[in-house]
Amino acid sequence: MHAQGQKIRKDTLHEKEIDEVVVVAYGKAKKNSYTGSVATISSEKINSRPVTNITKVLEGQVPGLQAVSASGQPGSTASIRIRGIGSVSASSNPLFVVDGIPFDGNINSISPNDIESISVLKDATASSLYGSRGANGVIIVTTKSGKKGEARINFNISQGFSGRAVKDYAQVTTDQYFQLYWEALRNGYQSGQIPGQQAAQMATDNLVNALGINPYGTQYEKPVGTDGRLLPGATALWNDNWKDILQRVASRNQADLDFSGGNEKSNYYFSLGYLDDKGIAIESGFRKYSTRLKLNSEVKKWLNIGANLAYTNSLQHAPPSSDSRTDNIINAARIIPSFYPYYERNADGSYKLDSNGNYIYDFGKYRPTSALQNENAAATLPLDKNENREDNFSGKGFAEFTFLPELKFRSSFSVDLVNYNGHYYSNPLVGEGSEIGGSVTKTNSRTLSYTTSNIITYDKKFGQHHLNILGGQEFYHYEYQTISGSRSQFSLPYYYEPDAAALLGGFTGNSDQLGLLSFLGKAEYDFKNKYFISGSVRSDGSSRFAPENRWGTFWSAGASWKASNEDFVRNLNVFNQLTLRASYGGQGNDKLNTYYAYQSLYTFYNNLGEGGTVAGKLPTPDLKWETNLNFNAGLEFSVLNNRVKGNVEYFRRKSKDLLFGMPLAPSLGFNEYQANIGELKNTGFEFSLFTTPVKTKDFEWNVDVNLSTLKNEITRLPKGSVVTGTKLLRVGGSVYDFFIPEWVGVDPSNGKPLWKTITTDAGGNTVEGTTSEYAKATKTLQGSSLPKVIGGFTTSLAYKNFDFSTLVSFAIGGKILDNDYTMLMHNGSSAGRAWSAEMLNRWTPDNRYTDVPALSTTTNNWTSASSRFLYSGTYARVKNVSLGYTLPSDYFEKFGLKKFRIYIQAENLLTFYKHKGMDPEQTLDGTTYYRYPAMRTVTFGLQATL
């Protein structure tokens, strides 16, 4: 299920048609005659990227695919959507298929070095045979196999270094902060009707006490005068940027070794991999050991067998880095100003030392709560544990029987086993854990799934006719078990296990199961290698639904016309290849967040030592399959002896009977119930262009461009609209439309924030106004988080033994609500918290026309969600740059080497965007949440083949 990358050239004076072979669902096809929509990524493009997860390879490489890496935490995955958002409440994630069988393991467990190619199936014809599991598209990963001939040994080793891909938000200096906060204090006092001069004196007198520290020393007990300016000669005695101690330049080490070979009847591939990717946040990182063994053998002329076994052991160090909790290391480095030291200081600015002459970490007991009082992650994290360990085993086997040259039967079995252990320990010596004597939580989960598949294929040519028929049965079983417990009060430090703690906290555990039985069939016919038609049908029975609604039958039909094989087109002497294709089909979706969608569920409680049961979910026996109806039409062409190739496609993806969580009044005792309501539509165009502007004996230059448009629209809802957080679901809108107050600006007369109000007067007329009270502001639609255009640009050059390539990904349109930025934009009510440099432009009597309200210690709610903090999501990012040099064979052949290449790569090298400080790659819903920033990685390495 991948593009083999194998190009067939006719031995003529001119380069003829290149007909790429792709492996699609349960079979193979030639790409330019295939009726479905498929895009491929070769191993060369995958191996040129220093990434830990293959999902991050896809961005900018496939038209119609949106891959968003919201977190730069090593070991994290990207969120992927193919041709838009297919559901509201059910999953919109694509299906991963590895070597022909759906994959349920952690995608992190697949080493990029083991991948031959990645294929993305986008329309119903391409993915319908995977049924409900492929409703949101299919990503097919094909691992490497041994090739006939001499045995080969490949070795790849690299060393890299990582830092932030974008600079953080600019902040005010210590001097600016003290003067600004003096102003906030004075204005706060004045708002309490205290006269101006008295308020100024009170601000001067209370400034140091309000912030809890005086970085200017004892000789400047009141560093800011009543005029709001620093006293002459006052200089901060230290400037401790918390990023210097909580973040670092991180290292990245990777080594891969593989052995492969084969003969006429069998082949083998064996690999070993190691990765150690440190994060830029201290105590974060990802370490992985992986191995894979793949064997294929023709044991009889009528029998082929194969096995593919893979095992990965990974350890992710993941301190909190994705929400507003006080121990979020990313947030801590941002919101503690530099005048709060990370080591304790004397009044003269010198360091305090312990009895051993070591620095003493400053936990800031004197700091206001807004500046993370009693927190110092630099001291606590090295003593704590935030570990996620995983063992991933994936085993696949098949036996293929050939009854006749045209009749084959293939039986396969696949099992994925994931064992996860989480270990979270808070030490009893320092930090929050010291208040309870330390605490520990351990979690274990086990995920086991297996798939059995039995497929019979008939493939026959009758003169100018070609027929391919496929039929089969598949069964999928999934089970999940988890158990978790916590304890506290350690009697001794440096003991991490629950047995060392005295007080039992909580203990939980549960298990889930899912079954899916499927029957499928497909027929393909072509005449004269010009006219192609295909049809498929699949029936799935899901245990999520009640027995009477359990089965759903889905289908597809497609056709293509290879016009370049027509005489009248051939006589034009323009097209090397010209193919038109169209398809239509339906697929089901059952991926709700529960495995028991139709049943009533209960929640159990401890009521003073007695068991208690409360209804947790209403029964929904009428719930049925959500359906995706996909239409695709495309044109593929090649001209100038295949120097220019392109593809244009239009798609319309309609989802009906949406699986949707209908909100209920809280008084009913339930938040929502599951129902089939509403319809959703995604439409767009996709463009791909592959060119070779220059090609000589020593020099070749290739330029590839792809882009896609997307319009996501809700076409039917059971009620007028549904508000979910900052979003509004309504007919005619998208699933990610922002519904928040509109920011009007700052009242120039008093410096108060203003939001728009929309009311109706007695005559029924709409009246627009403004308000300084956020609670009275009117929420209105403010655009969608979904970009209008996404794409990528790739160029590669090869000159003699040098090679160079670069990939730029981009997005145009869409909006991002930057909640991270609001943490730095408080008006002064969050004493001690860092301030953005933008606060220098706050309202004052001398600066009345501005977009930043007046400072005050009185809360004005101006950082609440509004269009003020809604920014453009348009950006371009240089995702990858690679430069390599392959030594001439004269240098290494005497050592038995077939190839020796040295290279340098850079990931996330440059980012172009407007709102500085915010990483433009955010979640699909366009809301930031104090996440781990993307990393810029520069890697040096060498590749050798024996």
Side-chain angles (χ1 to χ4, degrees):
M1 313 186 182
H2 74 297
Q4 299 285 354
Q6 190 175 10
K7 299 181 178 179
I8 304 169
R9 299 175 184 264
K10 296 181 180 178
D11 189 16
T12 62
L13 294 175
H14 299 285
E15 191 174 29
K16 296 293 184 179
E17 179 184 271
I18 300 177
D19 203 353
E20 191 177 13
V21 176
V22 294
V23 183
V24 291
Y26 307 100
K28 296 181 180 180
K30 291 185 177 181
K31 187 175 185 297
N32 66 21
S33 57
Y34 183 53
T35 61
S37 178
V38 57
T40 61
I41 304 174
S42 65
S43 60
E44 289 79 10
K45 292 183 178 180
I46 298 169
N47 294 336
S48 66
R49 304 284 299 278
V51 295
T52 59
N53 187 288
I54 64 172
T55 60
K56 298 191 177 184
V57 174
L58 299 172
E59 185 178 10
Q61 304 255 40
V62 177
L65 183 148
Q66 185 180 8
V68 178
S69 302
S71 174
Q73 164 72 45
S76 63
T77 60
S79 297
I80 296 174
R81 296 294 181 267
I82 298 175
R83 291 185 166 178
I85 312 299
S87 184
V88 176
S89 295
S91 172
S92 291
N93 293 326
L95 170 70
F96 279 90
V97 173
V98 178
D99 291 324
I101 301 179
F103 178 73
D104 257 352
N106 191 329
I107 203 67
N108 261 330
S109 65
I110 302 176
S111 172
N113 184 69
D114 287 343
I115 298 174
E116 181 69 28
S117 69
I118 297 175
S119 213
V120 181
L121 311 184
K122 296 181 285 186
D123 74 329
T125 296
S127 59
S128 62
L129 276 186
Y130 290 112
S132 61
R133 301 180 72 184
N136 296 300
V138 179
I139 297 174
I140 297 179
V141 177
T142 299
T143 59
K144 294 176 181 177
S145 298
K147 295 178 174 59
K148 183 177 69 173
E150 184 180 358
R152 290 201 167 195
I153 302 174
N154 293 299
F155 181 64
N156 184 7
I157 186 170
S158 64
Q159 168 73 58
F161 302 93
S162 302
R164 292 182 66 106
V166 298
K167 291 183 178 180
D168 207 354
Y169 308 98
Q171 297 185 12
V172 300
T173 65
T174 296
D175 291 351
Q176 292 168 340
Y177 194 105
F178 269 71
Q179 292 174 107
L180 288 173
Y181 201 75
W182 177 92
E183 186 177 316
L185 285 170
R186 183 202 61 186
N187 292 346
Y189 293 137
Q190 285 184 318
S191 67
Q193 307 303 314
I194 296 175
Q197 188 58 41
Q198 182 181 354
Q201 185 63 56
M202 293 175 65
T204 296
D205 294 341
N206 296 327
L207 176 61
V208 169
N209 184 62
L211 296 178
I213 196 170
N214 184 0
Y216 298 96
T218 54
Q219 66 182 109
Y220 298 98
E221 292 183 2
K222 299 177 181 180
V224 178
T226 56
D227 60 354
R229 298 183 179 276
L230 282 173
L231 299 179
T235 303
L237 300 177
W238 60 83
N239 183 46
D240 286 358
N241 187 337
W242 282 73
K243 294 183 181 66
D244 293 340
I245 196 171
L246 297 181
Q247 297 179 10
R248 63 193 176 186
V249 175
S251 64
R252 185 183 193 278
N253 301 288
Q254 184 171 357
D256 295 289
L257 176 68
D258 65 72
F259 308 84
S260 64
N263 54 34
E264 295 292 340
K265 292 191 174 183
S266 63
N267 60 69
Y268 66 90
Y269 175 86
F270 175 68
S271 71
L272 296 168
Y274 167 76
L275 171 68
D276 186 10
D277 191 4
K278 303 292 187 186
I280 61 170
I282 63 170
E283 303 302 319
S284 68
F286 182 73
R287 188 172 69 241
K288 179 175 71 172
Y289 301 91
S290 61
T291 183
R292 180 178 296 273
L293 175 63
K294 189 174 183 181
L295 302 170
N296 295 285
S297 179
E298 180 186 325
V299 295
K300 296 289 184 180
K301 287 186 177 181
W302 51 269
L303 176 62
N304 288 304
I305 62 171
N308 190 345
L309 307 176
Y311 170 73
T312 300
N313 173 269
S314 65
L315 171 60
Q316 184 186 52
H317 296 278
S321 59
S322 63
D323 55 34
S324 57
R325 50 192 287 179
T326 58
D327 58 351
N328 181 331
I329 189 171
I330 301 301
N331 209 29
R334 175 184 294 145
I335 67 174
I336 304 179
S338 58
F339 54 80
Y340 291 121
Y342 35 75
Y343 296 121
E344 291 187 8
R345 302 267 188 169
N346 294 307
D348 62 358
S350 61
Y351 290 107
K352 291 183 179 179
L353 303 177
D354 63 16
S355 57
N356 296 318
N358 300 315
Y359 296 147
I360 304 171
Y361 284 105
D362 192 328
F363 281 85
K365 294 182 179 180
Y366 53 85
R367 293 198 301 256
T369 56
S370 298
L372 302 186
Q373 188 180 68
N374 297 322
E375 292 280 348
N376 191 322
T380 57
L381 280 179
L383 300 176
D384 295 343
K385 282 185 178 292
N386 295 277
E387 296 181 348
N388 299 309
R389 294 180 180 269
E390 274 194 359
D391 293 286
N392 280 259
F393 171 77
S394 179
K396 300 176 175 63
F398 75 89
E400 186 176 72
F401 302 86
T402 302
F403 302 115
L404 298 170
E406 60 271 12
L407 184 63
K408 296 181 180 181
F409 174 75
R410 185 184 182 100
S411 182
S412 59
F413 177 79
S414 172
V415 60
D416 293 306
L417 176 63
V418 180
N419 188 68
Y420 164 80
N421 280 281
H423 191 175
Y424 307 101
Y425 164 78
S426 179
N427 77 88
L429 298 175
V430 293
E432 288 185 343
S434 62
E435 299 175 2
I436 56 173
S439 65
V440 62
T441 298
K442 295 201 78 171
T443 299
N444 175 263
S445 67
R446 179 180 182 270
T447 303
L448 172 68
S449 66
Y450 61 84
T451 302
T452 62
S453 175
N454 297 287
I455 304 295
I456 189 167
T457 305
Y458 178 79
D459 189 276
K460 180 70 173 178
K461 286 188 176 181
F462 306 90
Q464 294 181 324
H465 305 271
H466 177 218
L467 179 65
N468 181 282
I469 300 176
L470 177 151
Q473 168 270 334
E474 196 169 77
F475 176 71
Y476 168 72
H477 176 79
Y478 170 93
E479 58 184 53
Y480 172 81
Q481 299 172 341
T482 184
I483 191 170
S484 179
S486 62
R487 302 185 79 157
S488 60
Q489 292 187 3
F490 287 86
S491 57
L492 293 172
Y494 311 114
Y495 287 86
Y496 312 115
E497 298 298 333
D499 279 354
L503 182 63
L504 178 64
F507 180 79
T508 62
N510 59 75
S511 62
D512 288 303
Q513 289 189 351
L514 171 68
L516 189 72
L517 178 62
S518 307
F519 299 93
L520 57 121
K522 180 182 72 170
E524 296 178 335
Y525 167 78
D526 73 81
F527 177 63
K528 291 185 177 181
N529 196 31
K530 295 180 184 179
Y531 315 107
F532 303 80
I533 59 173
S534 67
S536 68
V537 63
R538 175 160 174 153
S539 186
D540 287 335
S542 172
S543 63
R544 277 191 167 103
F545 301 119
E548 57 271 23
N549 293 319
R550 183 154 292 168
W551 287 90
T553 300
F554 309 99
W555 55 273
S556 73
S560 67
W561 173 38
K562 192 183 291 186
S564 53
N565 282 2
E566 300 284 2
D567 290 339
F568 72 90
V569 175
R570 194 179 283 129
N571 292 337
L572 295 174
N573 292 321
V574 174
F575 296 99
N576 301 108
Q577 187 250 317
L578 180 65
T579 301
L580 289 86
R581 64 171 59 93
S583 66
Y584 185 70
Q587 294 167 278
N589 189 358
D590 67 339
K591 298 179 181 64
L592 284 163
N593 58 1
T594 175
Y595 298 101
Y596 314 99
Y598 69 97
Q599 296 179 340
S600 58
L601 301 180
Y602 299 88
T603 303
F604 300 95
Y605 291 95
N606 178 355
N607 183 22
L608 300 177
E610 298 292 332
T613 305
V614 177
K617 174 186 171 298
L618 290 171
T620 52
D622 296 329
L623 202 65
K624 62 182 180 179
W625 289 88
E626 177 178 291
T627 301
N628 279 268
L629 297 171
N630 299 307
F631 171 75
N632 184 82
L635 171 68
E636 188 174 349
F637 66 89
S638 176
V639 297
L640 301 177
N641 289 330
N642 296 301
R643 294 277 290 273
V644 177
K645 297 187 292 183
N647 188 56
V648 181
E649 290 187 289
Y650 167 79
F651 67 89
R652 184 182 71 242
R653 181 183 177 197
K654 182 179 179 181
S655 303
K656 68 176 187 176
D657 297 325
L658 292 177
L659 293 169
F660 189 86
M662 274 295 295
L664 290 173
S667 60
L668 297 176
F670 299 92
N671 295 325
E672 63 179 22
Y673 71 94
Q674 301 293 334
N676 293 102
I677 55 169
E679 295 180 358
L680 184 65
K681 182 172 68 175
N682 292 274
T683 56
F685 289 91
E686 297 172 0
F687 305 89
S688 299
L689 190 64
F690 308 91
T691 67
T692 306
V694 179
K695 186 172 184 179
T696 66
K697 177 182 177 182
D698 294 329
F699 180 70
E700 182 172 336
W701 176 30
N702 296 297
V703 177
D704 303 340
V705 180
N706 76 81
L707 61 88
S708 57
T709 67
L710 174 66
K711 181 180 180 182
N712 175 269
E713 182 182 359
I714 297 172
T715 56
R716 189 171 69 86
L717 282 176
K719 53 188 294 187
S721 61
V722 178
V723 178
T724 58
T726 60
K727 305 298 189 301
L728 174 70
L729 301 177
R730 65 185 177 95
V731 173
S734 81
V735 296
Y736 292 139
D737 281 348
F738 286 101
F739 188 62
I740 52 180
E742 181 178 342
W743 172 256
V744 177
V746 173
D747 190 333
S749 65
N750 56 25
K752 292 184 178 181
L754 294 175
W755 297 275
K756 179 182 284 190
T757 60
I758 302 176
T759 57
T760 303
D761 63 15
N765 301 310
T766 299
V767 179
E768 292 188 358
T770 61
T771 180
S772 292
E773 297 182 47
Y774 181 79
K776 295 181 179 180
T778 303
K779 292 183 178 181
T780 56
L781 290 165
Q782 298 294 332
S784 171
S785 69
L786 297 175
K788 291 181 171 59
V789 179
I790 58 174
F793 169 85
T794 305
T795 185
S796 61
L797 302 99
Y799 176 68
K800 293 186 176 179
N801 291 3
F802 287 94
D803 60 88
F804 172 82
S805 66
T806 184
L807 166 65
V808 178
S809 64
F810 60 86
I812 301 173
K815 295 184 177 181
I816 299 173
L817 183 62
D818 192 355
N819 291 323
D820 294 15
Y821 194 44
T822 61
M823 295 285 284
L824 305 177
M825 295 290 283
H826 60 97
N827 69 316
S829 58
S830 299
R833 180 175 296 167
W835 253 328
S836 164
E838 190 176 351
M839 301 306 293
L840 295 172
N841 191 35
R842 79 284 178 203
W843 182 95
T844 67
D846 299 324
N847 185 38
R848 295 177 178 272
Y849 300 97
T850 177
D851 205 31
V852 182
L855 301 181
S856 176
T857 52
T858 302
T859 301
N860 61 8
N861 293 316
W862 94 284
T863 57
S864 300
S866 76
S867 62
R868 172 61 173 81
F869 300 103
L870 204 59
Y871 298 94
S872 169
T874 298
Y875 76 94
R877 173 165 273 169
V878 181
K879 293 295 294 184
N880 180 259
V881 176
S882 177
L883 175 64
Y885 177 73
T886 301
L887 271 66
S889 59
D890 294 343
Y891 287 91
F892 54 75
E893 277 188 344
K894 58 186 176 181
F895 299 106
L897 293 171
K898 292 183 175 65
K899 180 180 179 181
F900 190 87
R901 177 177 179 263
I902 55 176
Y903 62 88
I904 179 173
Q905 299 173 350
E907 188 79 0
N908 294 331
L909 184 62
L910 296 170
T911 306
F912 304 94
Y913 62 113
K914 187 175 181 180
H915 178 43
K916 301 303 180 183
M918 180 188 74
D919 192 321
E921 276 195 80
Q922 294 294 334
T923 54
L924 293 160
D925 70 354
T927 304
T928 68
Y929 202 45
Y930 321 108
R931 297 179 185 89
Y932 205 113
M935 294 195 296
R936 176 190 292 124
T937 303
V938 178
T939 304
F940 306 86
L942 62 88
Q943 297 169 324
T945 300
L946 293 170

